[in-house]
Amino acid sequence: MKRVLLYIFLLIFFYSEGQAQSLELPRILGDHMVLQRNVSCKVWGWAKPNERVTLTIDGENTYTYSDSSGKWTAYLPPHKAGGPFTLKVTADTSVQFDDVMYGEVWIASGQSNMEFRMMDITDGRYDEIIQTANFPDIRYFKVPRGLSSVPKNDLKDGEWFLCSSDSIKKFSAVGWFFIKKIYDELNVPVAIIESSWGATPAEAWTSQDMLETLTGYRNKALKLDSLSEMEWEQKYAEADSLENLKWQIVGSKEGFEKGYASLNYDDSGWETVELPKYNMADVVWVRKIFDAEIQKKWEREKKEFKLNIGQAYIFQDVYLNEKKLEYKDIRDIHVSAKDLKNGKNILTIRATSPWSNLVHIGLEDGLFLENPEGVKINLKGKWKYNNTLEHPIPKVTYFHEEPAFIFNAMINPILGYSMQGVIWYQGESNREYPSDYQELFSTMIQDWRVRWQQGNFPFLFVQLANYLYQKNEPGESNWAEIREAQRKTLILPKTGMAVTIDIGEARNIHPFNKKDVGERLSRAALKMAYGYKNMIESGPLPLRWNIEGDKIKIEFEHVAHGLHTENGLPLKNFAVAGNNQKFCWTEAYIQGNSVVISCPDVPAPKVVRYGWADNPDCNLYNSEMLPASPFQIKF
């Protein structure tokens, strides 16, 4: 009898467990989610084959049937902004989501400048915003990182958060300032669904099918079919193992423990190298013995020397007389006089570049030690050098850089979630092949639009900010090429671009000013998605142009109440070239909504450029203080 009862119990248990698992919904649906207002919202999931599925929210019932594989899709009727509501989905079992709001939903995607969190901005500029954040009607969903060789139906995990002083720290900073502006203007619940990953190229976010239509990416896309999903996953695991080894090497203290930073260490077997030097590989150690004169009063008065290494890309330890120096900026390291010796001193640098494996040490205006009275000791020239002391940096295949792998795992599972539009910040990782970017980026946008099945939804993107060091003469720039490709992408309908050429940082590829970035994106959203007809959504963009004698006249759009320069100074950063393609700076001035460029030394101009550099000094604005986009015009 006991055996019969146990058998019945087990049957009931396994039957109920199986039934509980028969109705499944994607992880993008959850408590606290925001549904897009005023449209038919797509909801989907899985049930038993050919089963009726009923959805109930705010007293309205919607039903559908699963297909022969169990997949089902339903559309909730349009609903005005508001809530909270409960969404109940019923088949043979029920799933319930609480605190559901109707409002505005935006997707935020791209690489590290979109992924950059509010808590990553460490200079304190947004501390008050974080400390006082209490906006339960602003909500956030972070898509977890994932990779796949085939399109995935669901995410690995994920949950919805209400904005508080704690959760805001994890928000995309650009996403936060964008959606906060939308919230302030519309006064309805709003949400950001963030799907981003640092150091990722646009092809990683594009489907395999669309990449196969592009000549430059077809072979890489077809490579996805060369292995099974399980075999690709094995390759991910191997790459992860090498990645872990790489970071163990980067963080190793073995060299210091072996005395490589000691004045008495015998480096006679090391090579000699002239610093500054670029493109050294693996774990690089360099040492230099130099003489210093230390005055006793400097020690008594606790005076400091200033050490400028210039650059030591990208992870570096700096040792002075065996002491590891602490610093925020390698171009401005403060050294106590008591840490130096009269006579011989030893400066040692250990540098690694775990991504490119190319180490650069020094700059032409760097590599010196300055005493408290402003006298500099030049540290350029001959240094002892060795890159064979430690295990070499292993070569890792980064699958997040490979075509379609991120699209499959981080976009495909949320395709169809009803939303208003997309904001996008990416391009840095495509700088090596800028000539391909316009076609690739345009293809990606069209790919998303087709697959989301919401027509030409607004797609708003950030033009790359100024970065690296300024140059005195006009020349070529991959960063400028990417910006031009982004500008040309505006030919697609319902696209908008936030120009950020004035808010970057020479030494920081992740500039901390994310407020202006997000709010400039919001201008385009308010104009394009919400009908703010008087909103100036962009800085000036060249509209039409012609040559008049020895002058070029360029008319701009998005000028608001007129063009001007910062502080009324003369226009900068215009350059022209003739058939020889040798660019030279040229004078330019504002005339109404146009800029007139004088080029008497180039009688037959073929190209005019504005802001064509990694980090150009640009000063053309409209009356809304929005900067003009860099551009190139060919005649």
Side-chain angles (χ1 to χ4, degrees):
M1 184 64 181
K2 288 182 178 180
R3 286 188 176 183
V4 172
L5 290 174
L6 178 61
Y7 179 71
I8 293 171
F9 171 78
L10 290 174
L11 279 177
I12 293 172
F13 175 78
F14 286 116
Y15 176 78
S16 63
E17 284 292 293
Q19 292 298 94
Q21 294 171 5
S22 62
L23 177 64
E24 298 180 19
L25 287 99
R27 287 177 173 84
I28 189 64
L29 304 178
D31 295 339
H32 316 301
M33 66 181 164
V34 178
L35 299 174
Q36 178 61 41
R37 63 171 176 164
N38 302 333
V39 301
S40 297
C41 285
K42 180 179 176 180
V43 181
W44 68 97
W46 305 270
K48 288 183 176 180
N50 307 311
E51 186 165 36
R52 178 181 170 119
V53 181
T54 303
L55 296 86
T56 304
I57 187 168
D58 195 21
E60 295 266 357
N61 290 327
T62 301
Y63 73 90
T64 188
Y65 286 89
S66 60
D67 62 20
S68 59
S69 69
K71 177 73 185 290
W72 57 266
T73 300
Y75 290 87
L76 301 175
H79 197 293
K80 67 180 181 180
F85 302 107
T86 294
L87 173 62
K88 188 173 183 180
V89 184
T90 304
D92 56 330
T93 59
S94 293
V95 176
Q96 179 172 303
F97 301 117
D98 296 319
D99 189 31
V100 176
M101 308 294 284
Y102 278 95
E104 289 298 311
V105 180
W106 285 82
I107 308 296
S109 190
Q111 57 182 107
S112 55
N113 268 306
M114 183 62 81
E115 192 175 32
F116 207 73
R117 302 167 297 175
M118 289 291 284
M119 66 188 292
D120 294 328
I121 301 170
T122 56
D123 65 354
R125 70 178 69 190
Y126 302 137
D127 284 356
E128 185 176 354
I129 292 173
I130 292 172
Q131 292 162 7
T132 59
N134 181 24
F135 301 98
D137 281 349
I138 300 179
R139 304 186 176 194
Y140 175 71
F141 185 96
K142 171 69 172 176
V143 172
R145 287 184 173 187
L147 296 167
S148 178
S149 61
V150 296
K152 290 292 187 183
N153 292 324
D154 202 3
L155 304 171
K156 294 189 297 185
D157 53 43
E159 61 181 306
W160 285 86
F161 292 96
L162 280 62
C163 177
S164 66
S165 57
D166 183 50
S167 67
I168 191 178
K169 296 175 185 177
K170 300 176 183 178
F171 272 52
S172 155
V174 169
W176 162 257
F177 286 111
F178 169 82
I179 207 66
K180 179 60 164 58
K181 191 68 174 178
I182 302 301
Y183 174 75
D184 290 342
E185 289 290 336
L186 303 183
N187 194 29
V188 298
V190 294
I192 282 287
I193 298 173
E194 185 208 337
S195 182
S196 58
W197 190 330
T200 51
E203 59 266 30
W205 297 94
T206 308
S207 73
Q208 179 182 357
D209 291 344
M210 289 302 288
L211 289 170
E212 287 178 11
T213 68
L214 301 179
T215 302
Y217 297 92
R218 175 175 170 78
N219 290 338
K220 281 190 173 183
L222 289 171
K223 187 179 176 182
L224 288 171
D225 300 326
S226 65
L227 299 174
S228 69
E229 185 179 1
M230 184 176 296
E231 288 171 321
W232 280 116
E233 289 176 353
Q234 178 61 35
K235 284 188 170 291
Y236 308 155
E238 292 169 1
D240 283 344
S241 178
L242 287 175
E243 179 79 352
N244 290 334
L245 173 60
K246 178 187 74 177
W247 287 106
Q248 289 174 21
I249 294 168
V250 170
S252 172
K253 304 301 177 188
E254 179 184 357
F256 176 74
E257 293 167 356
K258 289 185 174 180
Y260 299 157
S262 169
L263 180 62
N264 297 322
Y265 179 79
D266 180 8
D267 59 13
S268 59
W270 291 23
E271 296 179 36
T272 299
V273 68
E274 291 275 341
L275 296 186
K277 184 175 177 60
Y278 301 98
N279 297 341
M280 297 175 282
D282 294 320
V283 181
V284 173
W285 283 87
V286 292
R287 292 163 43 94
K288 187 176 184 70
I289 296 174
F290 64 93
D291 290 319
E293 181 182 340
I294 311 299
Q295 297 183 22
K296 290 293 184 183
K297 67 175 183 177
W298 293 343
E299 294 186 34
R300 291 195 304 270
E301 296 169 3
K302 298 182 179 179
K303 295 289 187 180
E304 290 185 327
F305 283 65
K306 292 182 180 179
L307 176 62
N308 184 328
I309 301 299
Q311 186 175 358
Y313 196 79
I314 194 167
F315 288 91
Q316 61 280 316
D317 294 325
V318 181
Y319 301 94
L320 179 62
N321 296 326
E322 296 187 64
K323 179 181 178 180
K324 185 177 178 180
L325 301 179
E326 302 296 330
Y327 57 89
K328 292 182 179 179
D329 186 344
I330 201 163
R331 295 167 63 93
D332 186 23
I333 305 175
H334 293 259
V335 178
S336 171
K338 66 182 180 59
D339 291 329
L340 286 154
K341 302 174 182 177
N342 260 315
K344 302 294 183 186
N345 292 263
I346 178 72
L347 180 64
T348 310
I349 302 170
R350 177 188 188 267
T352 60
S353 178
W355 291 290
S356 70
N357 199 25
L358 294 176
V359 172
H360 318 314
I361 299 181
L363 289 173
E364 288 304 318
D365 62 348
L367 275 179
F368 60 83
L369 181 69
E370 184 177 336
N371 76 19
E373 294 179 354
V375 177
K376 292 180 180 179
I377 301 171
N378 183 17
L379 298 175
K380 293 179 186 177
K382 291 181 170 54
W383 288 59
K384 286 291 190 171
Y385 157 81
N386 200 323
N387 70 338
T388 63
L389 297 167
E390 299 187 53
H391 195 290
I393 300 288
K395 185 177 181 180
V396 181
T397 299
Y398 294 109
F399 287 96
H400 64 272
E401 297 177 352
E402 295 296 308
F405 276 92
I406 292 182
F407 173 89
N408 289 336
M410 296 177 64
I411 295 298
N412 199 73
I414 63 173
L415 283 175
Y417 190 94
S418 298
M419 50 79 175
Q420 183 64 252
V422 170
I423 58 173
W424 173 263
Y425 195 158
Q426 190 274 338
E428 298 93 335
S429 289
N430 287 94
R431 67 188 181 276
E432 297 300 323
Y433 303 99
S435 61
D436 296 338
Y437 191 71
Q438 183 189 352
E439 183 182 29
L440 172 63
F441 186 33
S442 298
T443 298
M444 191 206 82
I445 294 172
Q446 293 165 317
D447 188 23
W448 286 25
R449 284 175 168 174
V450 168
R451 293 174 186 278
W452 233 287
Q453 298 183 343
Q454 286 191 210
N456 288 336
F457 54 76
F459 197 104
L460 315 176
F461 52 90
V462 181
Q463 190 184 53
L464 295 187
N466 49 311
Y467 176 54
L468 301 173
Y469 298 96
Q470 293 187 344
K471 296 179 179 178
N472 295 325
E473 297 300 326
E476 301 307 313
S477 164
N478 282 10
W479 292 90
E481 295 275 2
I482 290 290
R483 294 186 195 110
E484 181 71 352
Q486 292 172 320
R487 184 182 71 86
K488 288 183 175 180
T489 302
L490 292 171
I491 196 172
L492 292 180
K494 298 197 79 171
T495 52
M497 182 176 76
V499 180
T500 61
I501 199 64
D502 60 332
I503 54 178
E505 299 175 24
R507 305 174 197 172
N508 186 4
I509 200 170
H510 305 119
F512 281 0
N513 182 355
K514 295 296 192 265
K515 183 174 187 291
D516 282 340
V517 181
E519 292 185 352
R520 288 177 186 180
L521 285 169
S522 74
R523 284 176 168 269
L526 292 168
K527 178 91 175 248
M528 194 176 299
Y530 304 115
Y532 280 48
K533 294 181 179 179
N534 296 325
M535 175 65 70
I536 303 301
E537 74 269 34
S538 169
L541 297 172
L543 179 62
R544 58 181 68 92
W545 46 86
N546 63 287
I547 299 176
E548 301 174 354
D550 64 352
K551 292 181 172 60
I552 302 169
K553 187 174 184 179
I554 303 173
E555 184 182 348
F556 288 82
E557 59 181 336
H558 307 304
V559 300
H561 298 297
L563 299 173
H564 70 96
T565 61
E566 196 172 15
N567 300 321
L569 296 172
L571 282 170
K572 303 176 182 178
N573 236 282
F574 282 87
V576 293
N579 287 322
N580 60 8
Q581 292 296 299
K582 291 184 178 179
F583 285 88
C584 59
W585 299 126
T586 187
E587 292 184 0
Y589 59 89
I590 294 169
Q591 186 180 85
N593 292 339
S594 301
V595 168
V596 179
I597 302 165
S598 299
C599 45
D601 298 328
V602 185
K606 296 298 181 183
V607 187
V608 60
R609 289 173 170 176
Y610 171 68
W612 199 266
D614 300 340
N615 186 0
D617 184 12
C618 296
N619 68 341
L620 179 60
Y621 289 80
N622 63 20
S623 59
E624 296 287 303
M625 282 305 295
L626 297 173
S629 168
F631 60 85
Q632 174 177 263
I633 297 171
K634 295 182 178 181
F635 301 102

